[in-house]
């Protein structure tokens, strides 16, 4: 296995050039936009939100995870720009953060969907209310799980295999060659969260559509809730599904030479997972009433400094009940 993996890593270097303008462009956009959007999201959540719901707790942790990820992207930009000098350790640390962010984002997005679903489907349940109060503990558990699993996946072979100093960001995921680890990633890290999100999305749309309040204009904006469900599922599938498909493809090339086209596809799907760092804040804007209103009000105040505060209050009073209540 170790000999086969070494040969595969050597082949990976032969397939890919270090300099890649597409990676440089995409990582640069994600880095600059991700820092701006996620920092703005944290400011809104901490400074402009009076009552912090349980869903907001998950979103805050998601924004922090995305900020940690985008802070490592300058290393990837530097590497793919053709510059030398990055140590393998720095590449591995950046890889650990990317992997932890990916599975952390998956679990946090799942928690957001589950929290909204149970809040709508079981609004009077005392057990549900008590369970939702454990959101900070759930987030702590997610951080411990994702960081621990990511460290194990990246560093498990350091004592048994000599590190190829020329790999850096062109390395192959070692756990893709281990059936037990790959199975855990595909089930616990992706499959089960996907099933939960699908069930929660279906349950949420069904509950809202059958609610008597949804039939009363101005009380519940069912279109916005359906849009929220669609956006969350789109982010989840577009960012994370291609990567996990490529892990399965790589596993089936375990005992033979991986085609260069497969390796290229893997690196591009890995890059696609980073897009969630800028898509998550957009989801906050389009699906969270509090976030949307604060961003819009601040923008309007800068553009129209003479705006009447009372008119803003009237606008708030006419707003339909939306996902902020979840």
């Amino acid at each position: 296995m170790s000999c086969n993996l070494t040969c595969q890593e050597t082949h990976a270097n032969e397939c890919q050039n270090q300099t890649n303008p597409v990676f440089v462009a995409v990582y640069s956009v994600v880095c600059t936009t991700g820092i701006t959007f996620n920092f703005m999201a944290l400011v809104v959540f901490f400074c402009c939100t009076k009552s912090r719901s349980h869903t907001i707790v998950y979103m805050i942790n998601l924004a922090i995870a995305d900020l940690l990820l985008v802070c490592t992207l300058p290393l990837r930009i530097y590497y793919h720009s053709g510059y030398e000098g990055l140590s393998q350790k720095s590449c591995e640390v950046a890889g650990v953060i990317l992997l932890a962010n990916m599975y952390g984002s998956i679990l946090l997005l799942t928690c957001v969907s589950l929290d909204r679903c149970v809040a709508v489907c079981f609004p009077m349940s005392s057990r549900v209310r008590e369970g939702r109060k454990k959101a900070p503990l759930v987030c702590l558990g997610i951080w411990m799980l994702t960081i621990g699993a990511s460290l194990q996946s990246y560093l498990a072979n350091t004592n048994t295999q000599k590190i190829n100093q020329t790999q850096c960001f062109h390395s192959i995921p070692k756990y893709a060659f281990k059936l037990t680890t790959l199975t855990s990633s595909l089930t616990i890290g992706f499959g089960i969260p996907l099933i939960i999100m699908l069930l929660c999305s279906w349950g949420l749309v069904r509950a809202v559509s059958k609610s008597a309040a949804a039939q009363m204009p101005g009380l519940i904006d069912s279109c916005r809730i359906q849009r929220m469900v669609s956006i969350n599922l789109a982010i989840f599938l577009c960012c994370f599904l291609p990567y996990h498909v490529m892990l399965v493809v790589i596993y089936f090339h375990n005992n033979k030479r991986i085609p260069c086209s497969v390796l290229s596809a893997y690196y591009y799907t890995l890059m696609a997972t980073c897009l969630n760092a800028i898509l998550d804040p957009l989801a906050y804007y389009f699906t969270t009433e509090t976030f949307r209103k604060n961003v819009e009000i601040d923008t309007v105040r800068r553009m129209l400094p003479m705006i009447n505060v009372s008119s803003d209050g009237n606008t708030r009073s006419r707003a339909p009940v939306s996902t902020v209540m979840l």
Side-chain angles (χ1 to χ4, degrees):
M1 173 66 72
S2 61
C3 178
N4 181 54
L5 184 57
T6 303
C7 294
Q8 296 285 18
E9 290 179 339
T10 303
H11 176 55
N13 270 350
E14 296 173 354
C15 287
Q16 297 290 323
N17 293 323
Q18 176 179 340
T19 305
N20 191 314
V22 175
F23 286 174
V24 173
V26 173
Y27 284 136
S28 298
V29 171
V30 173
C31 183
T32 55
T33 309
I35 290 176
T36 303
F37 282 5
N38 285 285
F39 181 77
M40 181 176 65
L42 289 176
V43 170
V44 170
F45 289 147
F46 279 109
C47 302
C48 303
T49 306
K50 295 181 180 180
S51 59
R52 190 163 301 159
S53 68
H54 309 298
T55 302
I56 296 297
V57 173
Y58 294 120
M59 289 183 173
I60 288 174
N61 282 268
L62 188 56
I64 293 174
D66 290 339
L67 270 179
L68 291 176
L69 170 65
V70 296
C71 287
T72 68
L73 294 185
L75 292 177
R76 296 181 181 271
I77 296 171
Y78 180 89
Y79 175 80
H80 290 295
S81 297
Y83 297 104
E84 304 288 344
L86 284 180
S87 66
Q88 184 68 20
K89 287 298 181 182
S90 62
C91 298
E92 287 182 352
V93 170
V96 168
I97 294 176
L98 189 151
L99 201 61
N101 168 268
M102 176 171 58
Y103 289 109
S105 296
I106 288 174
L107 296 177
L108 288 169
L109 286 171
T110 304
C111 289
V112 170
S113 296
L114 182 60
D115 184 75
R116 286 167 166 168
C117 181
V118 297
V120 171
C121 296
F122 309 100
M124 305 303 295
S125 173
S126 58
R127 290 185 178 181
V128 169
R129 288 197 298 269
E130 290 300 320
R132 295 182 70 205
K133 291 179 181 179
K134 295 181 173 60
L137 292 178
V138 173
C139 292
L140 177 61
I142 289 175
W143 281 102
M144 295 175 62
L145 174 64
T146 54
I147 292 176
S150 302
L151 284 172
Q152 182 180 6
S153 298
Y154 263 79
L155 306 179
N157 295 328
T158 55
N159 294 328
T160 59
Q161 182 177 332
K162 183 179 178 180
I163 297 176
N164 188 340
Q165 297 295 329
T166 63
Q167 288 296 312
C168 197
F169 295 121
H170 276 153
S171 59
I172 300 175
K174 298 177 178 63
Y175 64 92
F177 295 95
K178 298 180 179 180
L179 182 59
T180 54
T181 311
L182 178 62
T183 302
S184 299
S185 300
L186 294 177
T187 54
I188 301 176
F190 180 75
I192 294 177
L194 176 59
I195 293 174
I196 292 175
M197 285 197 68
L198 291 173
L199 292 176
C200 289
S201 300
W202 173 79
L204 183 58
V205 172
R206 184 172 180 270
V208 171
S209 62
K210 290 191 173 184
S211 172
Q215 311 303 324
M216 303 175 62
L219 188 57
I220 290 183
D221 192 345
S222 58
C223 292
R224 175 170 294 157
I225 292 178
Q226 293 176 4
R227 184 167 65 243
M228 172 197 75
V229 170
S230 301
I231 290 175
N232 286 346
L233 284 177
I235 292 175
F236 193 93
L237 293 175
C238 293
C239 291
F240 307 122
L241 178 60
Y243 173 80
H244 289 87
V245 171
M246 291 310 305
L247 288 183
V248 176
V249 173
I250 289 177
Y251 174 77
F252 284 108
H253 287 86
N254 187 7
N255 296 318
K256 53 186 177 180
R257 196 178 183 90
I258 302 177
C260 290
S261 58
V262 173
L263 287 173
S264 297
Y266 165 76
Y267 296 132
Y268 279 102
T269 58
L270 186 63
M271 179 183 65
T273 63
C274 298
L275 295 177
N276 78 292
I278 59 176
L279 294 178
D280 289 338
L282 293 179
Y284 306 154
Y285 179 85
F286 286 110
T287 65
T288 306
E289 184 74 10
T290 300
F291 187 84
R292 183 180 65 82
K293 280 189 174 183
N294 279 287
V295 173
E296 286 184 347
I297 291 170
D298 288 344
T299 303
V300 170
R301 283 175 177 169
R302 287 195 298 268
M303 296 175 61
L304 303 174
M306 300 302 294
I307 189 170
N308 192 318
V309 176
S310 61
S311 65
D312 178 47
N314 293 334
T315 302
R316 287 174 179 263
S317 64
R318 291 193 300 267
V321 177
S322 185
T323 57
V324 67
M325 296 184 64
L326 308 184

